[in-house]
Amino acid sequence: MTRMDTVGTVPTLNGKSDFDIVSTYQSLLASDPDLTMPVAAIEALVLLLAQLPPTLSTISETLDLLATSTAQLKRSIPNPISLSAGTDLFQRYLITTLRGTPLNHGPGGGGDFKLIRQHLLSNGRLFVKRAKEARRTIASYGSRFVRDGSVVLTNGGSRVVGAVLQAAAEAHGGGSPRFKVIYVQSTSTPHSESHQIIRSLRQLSVPVATIPESAVAYSMGRVSMVLVGAEGVVENGGIISRMGTYQMGILAKAAAKPVYVVAESHKFVRMFPLGQYDLPIEQKVLDFRTDVVDDDDDEKMANDGAQLAKPASSPTARSRATSILDSGRWVEQTPAVMERGEYFDKLDSPRGGSKTSSTSSKGPLLATASEPPAPLPPPPSKGTAAAALRANDSAVDYTPPDLITALITESGVQTPSAVSEELIKIWY
């Protein structure tokens, strides 16, 4: 299993593709930066319901249209976990609201189906409204866990986490907040979402420290609690979240620090992963290679080449060029006998005579200190590891329920074991 998708034909409206579910979803995300993926997908489905073709006259056809459109959305993004949770829950919600409806929605009940269509549309809009209000409710519940003098450790760019911390800061009124935040940022490509949250917290006078992933264990001794978001909450109460959340949970448990997860209930997903490698998405976090030169060396060689290409007009520059040559990183471009400039200076004037000014006999790498060295050939182009690292910056991992203290949703504070009960209530 590589990706969550459903086999089906892309629906058409009025005999042609008038409604593009993918472009509508992307437009909704671009128009509102605070909109999450599952809510944007649900809004796109609601807009689809509003434009149902007149040829659809049964609930079965309508639900099939929603299912195939949802499958198309899932195929359009690399990580559809949170989107799948929201859209599947939305479809189940519509089916539940239709139970007990006294309207005739058979093939001959065309007039009644119009009423059912309006019923589906109004309930869909109500679902979207509740999903948007969930973040505000969670922020009200979660801010009570951020106490005076506490230090909160978090990561990623969860909007719910940002709302909780902002609500805790604003709870002090006009006074200065009495808690601190340690924000774990990616060393490859820091997220713009986290930058926005950090900026807004500092504007509220909240002290925020940013650290790389490698400093989490070092900082754990100062941490009072760990607060993280989730892309999906699975059946056993574990979470699928930004890469690095799992190691934060392990370190927090070893240090006896509580871990709180804030997530909307529309992120509850029917999934039961057995481990890190049982997620229904394709990730290339472990990229085993046999290249002799990795990207780190490529970057160093690129920097070294830029330094060598500059005129060695100062002692520092000459020392830098000499150290690079002596390091052996450019040995394939330097003759083996050419090791030290002083040695060749003596060869040029063995008895105190004048030095040979020509650099052609010495080669471009053996120019004297007063002469600028010729630029070296460009280093090898960067490989694929750095690009893969940037791509994996949006990767996710699985945090099992035994590392989680509590889940904070719009329904209140729950233990991880309560997730399965909630899913049973929704689906069965």
Side-chain angles (χ1 to χ4, degrees):
M1 183 168 57
T2 59
R3 184 177 292 184
M4 293 184 298
D5 54 10
T6 305
V7 178
T9 305
V10 178
T12 58
L13 302 181
N14 300 325
K16 58 180 180 180
S17 300
D18 293 333
F19 188 86
D20 189 344
I21 188 71
V22 176
S23 62
T24 302
Y25 162 75
Q26 294 173 348
S27 299
L28 289 170
L29 279 180
S31 62
D32 188 356
D34 290 330
L35 202 63
T36 60
M37 291 173 56
V39 176
I42 295 170
E43 280 202 40
L45 293 177
V46 171
L47 292 176
L48 176 63
L49 286 176
Q51 301 183 34
L52 285 178
T55 55
L56 293 182
S57 59
T58 65
I59 291 180
S60 177
E61 291 176 334
T62 303
L63 294 179
D64 182 64
L65 177 65
L66 291 175
T68 50
S69 298
T70 299
Q72 185 184 5
L73 273 177
K74 293 178 183 179
R75 289 191 295 265
S76 66
I77 59 177
N79 181 6
I81 292 178
S82 62
L83 185 148
S84 175
T87 54
D88 291 350
L89 191 62
F90 172 68
Q91 293 180 68
R92 189 63 187 177
Y93 171 78
L94 292 181
I95 294 174
T96 303
T97 58
L98 287 173
R99 289 178 179 175
T101 303
L103 300 174
N104 177 21
H105 49 268
D112 291 341
F113 181 75
K114 291 182 179 179
L115 296 178
I116 292 181
R117 173 179 170 177
Q118 292 300 322
H119 173 80
L120 290 173
L121 191 58
S122 61
N123 279 276
R125 290 170 176 165
L126 178 63
F127 187 92
V128 172
K129 180 181 178 181
R130 290 177 178 174
K132 290 183 175 180
E133 293 175 349
R135 188 184 306 169
R136 190 181 306 110
T137 306
I138 295 173
S140 176
Y141 290 144
S143 61
R144 304 171 190 175
F145 287 81
V146 184
R147 300 178 180 178
D148 292 347
S150 62
V151 178
V152 182
L153 176 68
T154 186
N155 71 333
S158 172
R159 299 172 180 86
V160 187
V161 171
V164 169
L165 295 176
Q166 292 178 24
E170 295 170 352
H172 293 279
S176 177
R178 294 184 289 272
F179 68 93
K180 301 178 181 178
V181 177
I182 300 177
Y183 223 109
V184 183
Q185 289 191 301
S186 171
T187 55
S188 56
T189 307
H191 302 283
S192 58
E193 299 95 333
S194 63
H195 286 168
Q196 296 172 1
I197 296 175
I198 293 171
R199 187 182 302 111
S200 62
L201 289 175
R202 286 173 174 168
Q203 289 176 350
L204 293 172
S205 302
V206 177
V208 181
T210 58
I211 62 171
E213 300 101 322
S214 57
V216 173
Y218 172 84
S219 306
M220 193 59 69
R222 300 287 300 274
V223 172
S224 305
M225 58 177 285
V226 178
L227 185 68
V228 296
E231 294 196 11
V233 182
V234 299
E235 293 184 48
N236 62 353
I239 63 170
I240 299 172
S241 189
R242 186 63 56 86
M243 180 67 67
T245 306
Y246 177 45
Q247 69 176 359
M248 288 171 59
I250 292 177
L251 293 170
K253 184 175 183 179
K257 304 298 174 66
V259 177
Y260 299 108
V261 178
V262 288
E264 304 93 331
S265 60
H266 61 256
K267 291 184 178 179
F268 287 10
V269 58
R270 295 178 64 191
M271 189 185 303
F272 203 115
L274 302 177
Q276 301 299 327
Y277 316 113
D278 195 32
L279 300 179
I281 57 176
E282 193 172 331
Q283 300 189 121
K284 294 184 179 180
V285 178
L286 300 176
D287 184 17
F288 296 101
R289 306 171 64 198
T290 57
D291 305 59
V292 177
V293 180
D294 58 22
D295 289 325
D296 290 337
D297 289 340
D298 284 344
E299 185 172 357
K300 292 178 182 178
M301 293 170 69
N303 295 334
D304 295 344
Q307 291 292 334
L308 283 174
K310 297 179 180 179
S313 57
S314 64
T316 304
R318 291 194 297 270
S319 176
R320 171 67 173 160
T322 303
S323 63
I324 293 173
L325 293 177
D326 291 344
S327 65
R329 287 200 289 263
W330 292 82
V331 66
E332 70 277 4
Q333 297 169 345
T334 308
V337 296
M338 299 179 180
E339 295 180 354
R340 294 181 59 86
E342 297 87 345
Y343 173 73
F344 291 97
D345 290 342
K346 293 178 180 179
L347 286 181
D348 290 336
S349 54
R351 298 181 181 179
S354 61
K355 297 182 181 180
T356 303
S357 60
S358 174
T359 59
S360 59
S361 61
K362 294 189 274 186
L365 293 179
L366 294 177
T368 60
S370 61
E371 301 171 350
L376 292 175
S381 60
K382 287 196 173 185
T384 58
L389 182 62
R390 289 189 293 270
N392 289 331
D393 190 52
S394 59
V396 296
D397 58 22
Y398 165 66
T399 304
D402 60 292
L403 302 179
I404 299 172
T405 305
L407 294 165
I408 305 175
T409 70
E410 69 269 25
S411 302
V413 182
Q414 303 173 339
T415 60
S417 59
V419 176
S420 59
E421 299 177 5
E422 291 294 326
L423 286 172
I424 289 175
K425 292 178 183 178
I426 295 172
W427 288 89
Y428 303 103

